[in-house]
Amino acid sequence: QVQLVESGGGLVRAGESLRLSCAASGRTFSNYYMGWFRQAPGKEREFVAAISRTGGLTRYADSVKGRFTISRDNAQNTLYLQMNSLKPEDTALYYCAADVNYGRVVGGSPPPDYWGQGTQVTVSS
């Protein structure tokens, strides 16, 4: 089992920045590919960003490319999502996820095995 706990969400204005964190425990963090997903009210959950086990490979949804940066610190068992130039359409509940299969953390099916509880990001115009 992997336990994931997100933090760092909040209310910001358009154009501002936030950094989300996801603290992992329970298993060896570096064994897992990691991803960020989000779900806005009335919409389906969508893929945001993913990172390989060493951090050397990343992937982003087109909607966040150039504005968001995913990173990880395996020594601290923590995943990050730096979000710059936030837009109102970025408003959502953000989740981190973990899996040993990279395809799952980039939005493939089935979804990742492990999920956090989510942290709310609200961007006002």
Side-chain angles (χ1 to χ4, degrees):
Q1 288 281 357
V2 176
Q3 291 80 43
L4 302 171
V5 179
E6 301 95 335
S7 61
L11 172 62
V12 296
R13 296 180 179 178
E16 295 184 339
S17 299
L18 277 175
R19 189 176 81 154
L20 306 184
S21 299
C22 172
S25 62
R27 292 282 181 93
T28 303
F29 180 63
S30 59
N31 285 348
Y32 291 86
Y33 298 99
M34 300 295 297
W36 287 99
F37 293 76
R38 67 187 182 187
Q39 187 167 19
K43 294 187 177 181
E44 292 188 354
R45 186 175 61 202
E46 64 175 358
F47 165 75
V48 175
I51 191 166
S52 63
R53 289 176 293 188
T54 62
L57 178 65
T58 57
R59 183 183 289 191
Y60 297 93
D62 288 343
S63 58
V64 307
K65 203 171 292 183
R67 300 187 298 121
F68 290 12
T69 302
I70 188 172
S71 61
R72 65 190 297 165
D73 184 338
N74 286 344
Q76 297 295 323
N77 295 338
T78 305
L79 174 73
Y80 301 101
L81 185 68
Q82 178 66 44
M83 304 185 296
N84 298 330
S85 302
L86 281 161
K87 304 175 181 180
E89 51 263 43
D90 294 318
T91 295
L93 190 60
Y94 283 71
Y95 299 91
C96 65
D99 204 282
V100 295
N101 186 313
Y102 182 67
R104 294 189 178 188
V105 299
V106 294
S109 181
D113 280 341
Y114 303 105
W115 294 84
Q117 83 291 345
T119 185
Q120 179 67 38
V121 172
T122 303
V123 185
S124 64
S125 57

Short mmCIF file of all heavy atoms in Angstrom, two decimals, residues 30-63:
data_model
loop_
_atom_site.label_atom_id
_atom_site.label_comp_id
_atom_site.label_asym_id
_atom_site.label_seq_id
_atom_site.Cartn_x
_atom_site.Cartn_y
_atom_site.Cartn_z
N SER A 30 10.41 5.69 -4.77
CA SER A 30 11.11 5.71 -6.06
C SER A 30 10.73 4.54 -6.96
O SER A 30 11.13 4.50 -8.12
CB SER A 30 12.61 5.74 -5.84
OG SER A 30 13.03 4.62 -5.10
N ASN A 31 9.98 3.59 -6.45
CA ASN A 31 9.51 2.47 -7.28
C ASN A 31 8.29 2.83 -8.11
O ASN A 31 7.89 2.04 -8.97
CB ASN A 31 9.16 1.28 -6.40
CG ASN A 31 10.38 0.56 -5.87
OD1 ASN A 31 11.50 0.81 -6.33
ND2 ASN A 31 10.19 -0.31 -4.91
N TYR A 32 7.72 4.00 -7.85
CA TYR A 32 6.43 4.35 -8.46
C TYR A 32 6.55 5.52 -9.42
O TYR A 32 7.21 6.52 -9.15
CB TYR A 32 5.42 4.71 -7.37
CG TYR A 32 5.02 3.51 -6.55
CD1 TYR A 32 5.77 3.12 -5.45
CD2 TYR A 32 3.90 2.76 -6.89
CE1 TYR A 32 5.42 2.00 -4.71
CE2 TYR A 32 3.54 1.64 -6.15
CZ TYR A 32 4.31 1.27 -5.07
OH TYR A 32 3.96 0.17 -4.35
N TYR A 33 5.86 5.36 -10.56
CA TYR A 33 5.58 6.50 -11.42
C TYR A 33 4.49 7.32 -10.73
O TYR A 33 3.61 6.77 -10.07
CB TYR A 33 5.10 6.03 -12.79
CG TYR A 33 6.11 5.22 -13.54
CD1 TYR A 33 6.04 3.83 -13.56
CD2 TYR A 33 7.13 5.84 -14.25
CE1 TYR A 33 6.97 3.08 -14.26
CE2 TYR A 33 8.07 5.09 -14.95
CZ TYR A 33 7.98 3.72 -14.96
OH TYR A 33 8.91 2.99 -15.64
N MET A 34 4.56 8.63 -10.91
CA MET A 34 3.63 9.51 -10.22
C MET A 34 2.92 10.43 -11.20
O MET A 34 3.49 10.82 -12.23
CB MET A 34 4.37 10.36 -9.18
CG MET A 34 5.09 9.57 -8.11
SD MET A 34 3.97 8.63 -7.05
CE MET A 34 3.02 9.96 -6.29
N GLY A 35 1.71 10.80 -10.84
CA GLY A 35 0.96 11.70 -11.70
C GLY A 35 0.07 12.63 -10.91
O GLY A 35 -0.21 12.39 -9.73
N TRP A 36 -0.33 13.72 -11.55
CA TRP A 36 -1.32 14.65 -11.03
C TRP A 36 -2.54 14.61 -11.95
O TRP A 36 -2.40 14.63 -13.17
CB TRP A 36 -0.79 16.08 -10.97
CG TRP A 36 0.21 16.32 -9.90
CD1 TRP A 36 1.57 16.35 -10.03
CD2 TRP A 36 -0.06 16.59 -8.51
NE1 TRP A 36 2.15 16.62 -8.81
CE2 TRP A 36 1.17 16.78 -7.88
CE3 TRP A 36 -1.24 16.71 -7.75
CZ2 TRP A 36 1.28 17.06 -6.51
CZ3 TRP A 36 -1.13 17.00 -6.42
CH2 TRP A 36 0.11 17.17 -5.80
N PHE A 37 -3.69 14.58 -11.34
CA PHE A 37 -4.96 14.63 -12.05
C PHE A 37 -5.82 15.71 -11.41
O PHE A 37 -5.53 16.16 -10.30
CB PHE A 37 -5.69 13.27 -11.94
CG PHE A 37 -4.99 12.15 -12.65
CD1 PHE A 37 -3.85 11.56 -12.12
CD2 PHE A 37 -5.47 11.67 -13.86
CE1 PHE A 37 -3.21 10.52 -12.77
CE2 PHE A 37 -4.84 10.63 -14.51
CZ PHE A 37 -3.71 10.06 -13.97
N ARG A 38 -6.87 16.12 -12.09
CA ARG A 38 -7.78 17.10 -11.51
C ARG A 38 -9.21 16.82 -11.96
O ARG A 38 -9.44 16.21 -13.00
CB ARG A 38 -7.37 18.52 -11.89
CG ARG A 38 -7.51 18.86 -13.37
CD ARG A 38 -6.91 20.25 -13.65
NE ARG A 38 -7.06 20.63 -15.05
CZ ARG A 38 -6.51 21.72 -15.58
NH1 ARG A 38 -5.78 22.54 -14.82
NH2 ARG A 38 -6.71 21.99 -16.86
N GLN A 39 -10.13 17.29 -11.15
CA GLN A 39 -11.54 17.14 -11.48
C GLN A 39 -12.28 18.41 -11.10
O GLN A 39 -12.30 18.80 -9.92
CB GLN A 39 -12.16 15.94 -10.78
CG GLN A 39 -13.58 15.66 -11.23
CD GLN A 39 -14.07 14.30 -10.78
OE1 GLN A 39 -13.53 13.70 -9.85
NE2 GLN A 39 -15.09 13.80 -11.44
N ALA A 40 -12.86 19.06 -12.09
CA ALA A 40 -13.66 20.25 -11.88
C ALA A 40 -15.12 19.85 -11.66
O ALA A 40 -15.54 18.78 -12.10
CB ALA A 40 -13.54 21.19 -13.07
N PRO A 41 -15.91 20.67 -11.00
CA PRO A 41 -17.32 20.34 -10.77
C PRO A 41 -18.05 20.05 -12.07
O PRO A 41 -17.95 20.82 -13.04
CB PRO A 41 -17.86 21.61 -10.10
CG PRO A 41 -16.69 22.23 -9.46
CD PRO A 41 -15.52 21.94 -10.36
N GLY A 42 -18.75 18.94 -12.11
CA GLY A 42 -19.53 18.59 -13.29
C GLY A 42 -18.73 18.02 -14.44
O GLY A 42 -19.29 17.77 -15.51
N LYS A 43 -17.43 17.83 -14.22
CA LYS A 43 -16.58 17.32 -15.30
C LYS A 43 -15.92 16.03 -14.86
O LYS A 43 -15.81 15.73 -13.67
CB LYS A 43 -15.52 18.35 -15.68
CG LYS A 43 -16.10 19.62 -16.30
CD LYS A 43 -14.99 20.52 -16.81
CE LYS A 43 -15.56 21.75 -17.50
NZ LYS A 43 -14.47 22.63 -18.04
N GLU A 44 -15.42 15.30 -15.85
CA GLU A 44 -14.70 14.07 -15.55
C GLU A 44 -13.28 14.40 -15.08
O GLU A 44 -12.72 15.44 -15.41
CB GLU A 44 -14.63 13.18 -16.80
CG GLU A 44 -15.98 12.63 -17.21
CD GLU A 44 -15.85 11.60 -18.33
OE1 GLU A 44 -14.74 11.42 -18.85
OE2 GLU A 44 -16.87 10.99 -18.67
N ARG A 45 -12.72 13.48 -14.32
CA ARG A 45 -11.33 13.63 -13.90
C ARG A 45 -10.43 13.61 -15.14
O ARG A 45 -10.65 12.83 -16.06
CB ARG A 45 -10.96 12.50 -12.96
CG ARG A 45 -9.58 12.61 -12.35
CD ARG A 45 -9.39 11.48 -11.35
NE ARG A 45 -9.48 10.18 -11.98
CZ ARG A 45 -9.77 9.06 -11.34
NH1 ARG A 45 -10.01 9.09 -10.04
NH2 ARG A 45 -9.84 7.90 -11.99
N GLU A 46 -9.41 14.47 -15.13
CA GLU A 46 -8.51 14.53 -16.29
C GLU A 46 -7.05 14.50 -15.85
O GLU A 46 -6.70 14.96 -14.76
CB GLU A 46 -8.77 15.79 -17.12
CG GLU A 46 -8.49 17.09 -16.40
CD GLU A 46 -8.64 18.31 -17.33
OE1 GLU A 46 -8.92 18.15 -18.53
OE2 GLU A 46 -8.47 19.43 -16.83
N PHE A 47 -6.24 14.00 -16.73
CA PHE A 47 -4.79 13.94 -16.53
C PHE A 47 -4.20 15.35 -16.61
O PHE A 47 -4.59 16.14 -17.47
CB PHE A 47 -4.17 13.05 -17.60
CG PHE A 47 -2.68 13.17 -17.72
CD1 PHE A 47 -1.85 12.61 -16.77
CD2 PHE A 47 -2.12 13.86 -18.79
CE1 PHE A 47 -0.48 12.73 -16.88
CE2 PHE A 47 -0.75 13.99 -18.91
CZ PHE A 47 0.07 13.41 -17.96
N VAL A 48 -3.25 15.64 -15.73
CA VAL A 48 -2.56 16.92 -15.73
C VAL A 48 -1.08 16.75 -16.08
O VAL A 48 -0.58 17.39 -17.00
CB VAL A 48 -2.71 17.62 -14.37
CG1 VAL A 48 -1.87 18.91 -14.33
CG2 VAL A 48 -4.16 17.90 -14.06
N ALA A 49 -0.38 15.91 -15.32
CA ALA A 49 1.06 15.75 -15.52
C ALA A 49 1.51 14.43 -14.91
O ALA A 49 0.87 13.91 -14.00
CB ALA A 49 1.83 16.90 -14.90
N ALA A 50 2.63 13.91 -15.41
CA ALA A 50 3.19 12.66 -14.89
C ALA A 50 4.71 12.74 -14.92
O ALA A 50 5.30 13.52 -15.68
CB ALA A 50 2.71 11.47 -15.71
N ILE A 51 5.32 11.90 -14.10
CA ILE A 51 6.77 11.90 -14.00
C ILE A 51 7.26 10.47 -13.79
O ILE A 51 6.60 9.67 -13.13
CB ILE A 51 7.23 12.83 -12.87
CG1 ILE A 51 8.73 13.06 -12.90
CG2 ILE A 51 6.79 12.29 -11.50
CD1 ILE A 51 9.18 14.23 -12.02
N SER A 52 8.42 10.18 -14.37
CA SER A 52 9.00 8.85 -14.24
C SER A 52 9.58 8.65 -12.85
O SER A 52 9.65 9.57 -12.04
CB SER A 52 10.07 8.66 -15.30
OG SER A 52 11.11 9.59 -15.12
N ARG A 53 10.05 7.46 -12.59
CA ARG A 53 10.52 7.12 -11.25
C ARG A 53 11.74 7.92 -10.82
O ARG A 53 11.87 8.28 -9.65
CB ARG A 53 10.80 5.62 -11.17
CG ARG A 53 9.54 4.78 -11.20
CD ARG A 53 9.82 3.30 -11.22
NE ARG A 53 10.47 2.89 -12.46
CZ ARG A 53 10.69 1.64 -12.78
NH1 ARG A 53 10.35 0.66 -11.96
NH2 ARG A 53 11.26 1.33 -13.93
N THR A 54 12.62 8.21 -11.77
CA THR A 54 13.82 9.00 -11.44
C THR A 54 13.60 10.50 -11.64
O THR A 54 14.44 11.30 -11.26
CB THR A 54 15.00 8.57 -12.31
OG1 THR A 54 14.66 8.83 -13.69
CG2 THR A 54 15.31 7.09 -12.12
N GLY A 55 12.50 10.86 -12.28
CA GLY A 55 12.24 12.26 -12.57
C GLY A 55 12.77 12.73 -13.90
O GLY A 55 12.61 13.89 -14.28
N GLY A 56 13.39 11.84 -14.65
CA GLY A 56 13.99 12.24 -15.90
C GLY A 56 13.03 12.39 -17.06
O GLY A 56 13.39 12.99 -18.08
N LEU A 57 11.83 11.88 -16.91
CA LEU A 57 10.84 11.94 -17.98
C LEU A 57 9.55 12.52 -17.42
O LEU A 57 9.07 12.07 -16.38
CB LEU A 57 10.59 10.54 -18.53
CG LEU A 57 9.53 10.42 -19.63
CD1 LEU A 57 9.98 11.16 -20.88
CD2 LEU A 57 9.27 8.95 -19.96
N THR A 58 9.02 13.52 -18.13
CA THR A 58 7.76 14.12 -17.70
C THR A 58 6.82 14.23 -18.89
O THR A 58 7.25 14.22 -20.05
CB THR A 58 7.97 15.53 -17.11
OG1 THR A 58 8.63 16.36 -18.09
CG2 THR A 58 8.81 15.48 -15.86
N ARG A 59 5.53 14.33 -18.58
CA ARG A 59 4.52 14.50 -19.61
C ARG A 59 3.44 15.43 -19.05
O ARG A 59 3.12 15.36 -17.87
CB ARG A 59 3.92 13.18 -20.04
CG ARG A 59 2.91 13.31 -21.16
CD ARG A 59 2.28 11.98 -21.51
NE ARG A 59 3.23 11.11 -22.19
CZ ARG A 59 2.86 9.98 -22.79
NH1 ARG A 59 1.59 9.59 -22.77
NH2 ARG A 59 3.76 9.23 -23.38
N TYR A 60 2.88 16.25 -19.96
CA TYR A 60 1.87 17.22 -19.53
C TYR A 60 0.66 17.20 -20.46
O TYR A 60 0.79 16.94 -21.67
CB TYR A 60 2.45 18.63 -19.53
CG TYR A 60 3.59 18.82 -18.57
CD1 TYR A 60 4.91 18.64 -18.98
CD2 TYR A 60 3.35 19.17 -17.24
CE1 TYR A 60 5.96 18.79 -18.09
CE2 TYR A 60 4.40 19.34 -16.34
CZ TYR A 60 5.69 19.13 -16.78
OH TYR A 60 6.73 19.29 -15.90
N ALA A 61 -0.47 17.52 -19.89
CA ALA A 61 -1.64 17.79 -20.72
C ALA A 61 -1.39 19.08 -21.50
O ALA A 61 -0.72 19.99 -21.01
CB ALA A 61 -2.88 17.93 -19.85
N ASP A 62 -1.95 19.16 -22.70
CA ASP A 62 -1.74 20.35 -23.52
C ASP A 62 -2.22 21.61 -22.81
O ASP A 62 -1.64 22.69 -22.98
CB ASP A 62 -2.47 20.20 -24.85
CG ASP A 62 -1.81 19.20 -25.77
OD1 ASP A 62 -0.63 18.85 -25.53
OD2 ASP A 62 -2.47 18.75 -26.72
N SER A 63 -3.25 21.48 -22.00
CA SER A 63 -3.85 22.65 -21.35
C SER A 63 -2.94 23.29 -20.30
O SER A 63 -3.15 24.44 -19.91
CB SER A 63 -5.18 22.26 -20.70
OG SER A 63 -4.98 21.22 -19.77
#
